[in-house]
Amino acid sequence: MSIVKDIYNSVIAGKVEDAARGVEQGLSSGIEVEEILNKGLISAMDLVGHKFAEGEIFIPHVIWSAKAMQAGMDLLKPHFSVNDKFKSAKIVIGTAQGDIHDIGKNLVAMMLEGAGFEVFDLGVDVKPQRFVEKAVEENANIIAISALLTTTMMSMADVVAMLEEKALSSLKVLIGGAPLSEEFCEEIGADAYGVDAREAVTKVRELLDL
Ligand code: B12
């Protein structure tokens, strides 16, 4: 069985140590970081999502799979290339109010740091005013917001409205997460929507004309 397949199975089974050991083996045997990430970790979490939606598995299992994926991601983090050309650009990131999903947000934060941006991670369940406060405090260029629930994505509109109220038009809002779309981005007046972590980097560069 291939190392990547082992990682994939460990995440699905929620085996944290096996997933971490598999990622270490993958890295030391020269497997591409992208392949470990996409085929070993992300595709496993997608299957976990389907099994959860089908009622085949329940929250405790999903939590262990999430921990296994996060353990793998932490080992991959140092391998994301760093160039400090963009150190000047500052990004405040977090998951929307009421939402505790953070794997996607963590991956986006990792990719943005890997691309050389300075990232301030506010964690999960972040109130709209906290995003704006931190962005002003750090003189940030972008607020990046993640949401995985249809019930929490609307708080992104509150962040956009708050920036308009305070005439902070130079501060851009980038949104993302499974239930989101380009249409929703336009509907709430956010500046950009990114489908995945790689696109988050592209969109930030576009927003900052880099
Ligand atoms: C793991 C998980 C959990 C874990 C979270 C653990 C953690 N540390 O994050 C736990 C068990 C805690 C959990 C709880 C719940 N969950 Co849940 N969860 C999932 C699951 C299986 C995987 C999500 C994940 O991590 N995917 C892997 C990452 C890499 O993908 P991602 O998050 O989509 O992120 C990528 C992109 O979306 C994008 N992206 C994400 N954020 C951002 C931000 C920006 C700025 C950009 C540009 C891009 C971007 O880039 C990322 C990387 O490529 C999904 C199913 C699914 N497949 O989405 C359900 C899912 C999201 N959960 C769901 C639900 C309903 C719940 C609960 C309400 C269940 C309950 N009854 O308690 C609770 C809510 C808790 C809360 N208040 O938030 C539903 C949501 C339905 C909906 N649309 O509203 C889903 C879709 C499952 C389902 N099909 O029913 N969950």
Side-chain angles (χ1 to χ4, degrees):
M1 174 124 25
S2 80
I3 295 174
V4 172
K5 191 71 185 162
D6 278 347
I7 298 167
Y8 178 85
N9 291 335
S10 308
V11 171
I12 289 167
K15 296 222 171 94
V16 180
E17 270 140 42
D18 291 359
R21 198 176 314 111
V23 171
E24 272 162 355
Q25 274 171 2
L27 290 169
S28 57
S29 57
I31 299 175
E32 289 290 324
V33 172
E34 295 285 338
E35 187 180 344
I36 297 173
L37 178 65
N38 295 328
K39 295 201 183 123
L41 301 177
I42 292 179
S43 47
M45 213 57 207
D46 284 346
L47 183 67
V48 168
H50 289 300
K51 287 175 178 280
F52 180 52
E54 302 302 313
E56 267 178 60
I57 60 173
F58 303 97
I59 290 273
H61 185 141
V62 178
I63 289 177
W64 282 108
S65 292
K67 284 181 190 298
M69 175 159 183
Q70 191 62 55
M73 279 167 49
D74 294 344
L75 289 165
L76 292 182
K77 185 168 182 173
H79 298 271
F80 283 101
S81 66
V82 170
N83 68 35
D84 53 12
K85 201 165 82 193
F86 306 121
K87 261 291 179 241
S88 58
K90 296 179 181 177
I91 301 163
V92 169
I93 193 167
T95 302
Q97 187 169 18
D99 201 323
I100 63 165
H101 295 84
D102 67 353
I103 294 182
K105 181 264 296 170
N106 292 347
L107 203 48
V108 170
M110 236 163 76
M111 288 278 193
L112 291 172
E113 268 174 353
F117 297 109
E118 195 168 355
V119 177
F120 301 89
D121 190 340
L122 295 176
V124 296
D125 186 16
V126 182
K127 292 189 176 57
Q129 59 268 37
R130 181 71 193 120
F131 278 114
V132 176
E133 252 168 38
K134 184 68 177 172
V136 171
E137 197 184 300
E138 301 295 347
N139 194 18
N141 310 84
I142 292 184
I143 294 176
I145 317 175
S146 177
L148 272 280
L149 301 175
T150 42
T151 49
T152 60
M153 56 200 258
M154 280 322 292
S155 79
M156 294 173 168
D158 302 337
V159 175
V160 174
M162 221 171 265
L163 293 176
E164 269 155 28
E165 253 166 56
K166 297 175 185 294
L168 293 167
S169 56
S170 63
L171 245 176
K172 305 294 179 197
V173 176
L174 169 66
I175 63 171
L180 303 186
S181 63
E182 207 58 73
E183 292 69 39
F184 178 74
C185 178
E186 270 156 42
E187 191 189 308
I188 66 166
D191 300 285
Y193 157 73
V195 70
D196 60 21
R198 188 138 301 287
E199 201 174 73
V201 174
T202 320
K203 294 288 176 170
V204 165
R205 289 192 175 133
E206 282 169 14
L207 287 173
L208 301 177
D209 270 338
L210 293 169

